[in-house]
Amino acid sequence: SVLGPGLRQALSALKSRWNDLANPLEEAQQSALLLETLQEICIFLDDFTMAVHFSAAADEASELRLAILEKLAGCFEDATK
């Protein structure tokens, strides 16, 4: 499917922007924007019937979302110590 490579390119850009953040908590607005964008992509893919044709890329979106949430949780834990 032609949609898979495009999704992977978008995910790569999101991941790159996330990795460029020095501290996700200090850059909360940017962190929230990236996470919300990724969340909307995942919600869309969950309901998109054609996503079965590029399920590996759709799974990558979910994995990236979970990795970002895990990183944010770790930042909050560190900030409260």
Side-chain angles (χ1 to χ4, degrees):
S1 170
V2 298
L3 300 175
L7 176 58
R8 282 195 172 97
Q9 185 177 11
L11 294 175
S12 178
L14 283 167
K15 186 176 183 177
S16 177
R17 289 185 66 183
W18 172 258
N19 288 335
D20 287 345
L21 297 177
N23 183 330
L25 296 182
E26 290 177 5
E27 299 177 68
Q29 186 174 5
Q30 186 65 26
S31 296
L33 178 65
L34 292 172
L35 185 56
E36 184 178 3
T37 300
L38 192 50
Q39 174 69 18
E40 290 299 320
I41 289 170
C42 289
I43 289 170
F44 172 79
L45 291 172
D46 284 344
D47 293 332
F48 186 53
T49 57
M50 298 296 288
V52 298
H53 299 290
F54 52 95
S55 60
D59 289 346
E60 288 175 29
S62 293
E63 290 168 6
L64 179 58
R65 180 181 155 273
L66 292 174
I68 288 174
L69 287 171
E70 185 177 347
K71 173 71 173 178
L72 279 174
C75 289
F76 285 122
E77 287 176 359
D78 292 345
T80 59
K81 289 181 182 178

